[in-house]
Amino acid sequence: GAGVSQTPSNKVTEKGKYVELRCDPISGHTALYWYRQSLGQGPEFLIYFQGTGAADDSGLPNDRFFAVRPEGSVSTLKIQRTERGDSAVYLCASSLERASVNEQFFGPGTRLTVL
Amino acid sequence: SQQGEEDPQALSIQEGENATMNCSYKTSINNLQWYRQNSGRGLVHLILIRSNEREKHSGRLRVTLDTSKKSSSLLITASRAADTASYFCATDGDTDKLIFGTGTRLQVFP
């Protein structure tokens, strides 16, 4: 079956612009996660959805970052007034339930470059 | 923030040799997972070990967990060039989210 998909695969934007990154999880997976990965580092947790609600958004770095999952499947990560420091690979993952009991399935990521 | 650290940061070996990577973490956990990442993009789950388990095998992979030392090791036996990748451990920190370590970059030369 289809895995986790993310669009776009690459996004180049200018400082101050708004961007949206999309994640399509595996069908039937109730848990969805967003991570950010900088070069040479491990993925850093941003936010976790259980169904439609954000169960844990403690990893969002500031109020410029926001994510939604209105129907409990597709999720969009929104970044306002982008800064050069936002440049990274944004990874999405889904799992059947909670990460603590299940493996996560990752998408290929969106590479965001802020000029 | 990163929960754990992998050791070594980088490892180069010849095909056929074994590769051992270590992971240390900071808080109590329900389970610990190992992931592989090729070319800086999507991660692939390798193995999950629960806090009440001490050792687990999957094919050429062997994972150990020592909760008293808050450490885990991943052993890849009879390595292949295709095993070249970055390897990350991830813990749940007794929460619903995964916290990843900094990774070990493994290079296997043919």
Side-chain angles (χ1 to χ4, degrees):
Chain A
V4 178
S5 62
Q6 292 186 246
T7 54
S9 57
N10 286 283
K11 176 69 177 179
V12 180
T13 190
E14 293 180 343
K15 181 175 178 294
K17 299 291 187 182
Y18 167 83
V19 297
E20 288 189 353
L21 311 178
R22 176 187 168 108
C23 172
D24 272 280
I26 293 172
S27 178
H29 282 192
T30 59
L32 184 147
Y33 304 80
W34 283 99
Y35 297 87
R36 177 169 71 173
Q37 186 175 25
S38 300
L39 192 62
Q41 299 294 314
E44 182 182 19
F45 170 81
L46 296 178
I47 186 170
Y48 151 55
F49 288 89
Q50 185 64 255
T52 60
D56 186 339
D57 65 358
S58 61
L60 294 177
N62 50 60
D63 61 6
R64 296 186 298 105
F65 288 76
F66 189 70
V68 295
R69 195 186 185 199
E71 298 179 357
S73 56
V74 171
S75 176
T76 305
L77 178 65
K78 308 179 181 190
I79 310 174
Q80 298 177 319
R81 305 183 303 280
T82 52
E83 300 177 356
R84 292 195 179 89
D86 298 335
S87 296
V89 174
Y90 288 81
L91 296 165
C92 175
S94 69
S95 67
L96 276 172
E97 295 176 5
R98 299 180 287 124
S100 61
V101 294
N102 282 290
E103 67 178 276
Q104 294 189 6
F105 295 83
F106 281 80
T110 293
R111 184 178 300 279
L112 175 66
T113 303
V114 181
L115 301 176
Chain B
S1 63
Q2 308 279 181
Q3 154 78 303
E5 292 185 1
E6 278 88 341
D7 166 49
Q9 290 187 345
L11 179 62
S12 295
I13 59 175
Q14 296 290 130
E15 262 189 327
E17 295 180 339
N18 296 340
T20 300
M21 289 158 268
N22 302 295
C23 165
S24 60
Y25 58 91
K26 299 174 184 174
T27 66
S28 61
I29 61 172
N30 292 312
N31 67 56
L32 183 144
Q33 303 181 36
W34 284 90
Y35 286 80
R36 183 182 73 198
Q37 185 177 40
N38 290 81
S39 65
R41 299 303 283 260
L43 286 84
V44 174
H45 179 266
L46 295 176
I47 198 165
L48 180 154
I49 186 167
R50 302 192 186 282
S51 59
N52 61 355
E53 297 175 312
R54 292 296 168 260
E55 188 171 312
K56 201 161 183 179
H57 297 254
S58 176
R60 293 184 296 114
L61 306 180
R62 173 178 169 254
V63 168
T64 63
L65 178 64
D66 187 335
T67 53
S68 67
K69 295 181 180 177
K70 290 187 170 60
S71 67
S72 174
S73 68
L74 170 67
L75 168 68
I76 305 174
T77 60
S79 63
R80 305 166 182 167
D83 295 329
T84 294
S86 291
Y87 292 81
F88 295 91
C89 69
T91 55
D92 61 358
D94 204 15
T95 67
D96 290 341
K97 63 193 181 193
L98 285 181
I99 306 297
F100 285 82
T102 51
T104 292
R105 292 182 300 282
L106 173 66
Q107 175 79 50
V108 182
F109 291 99

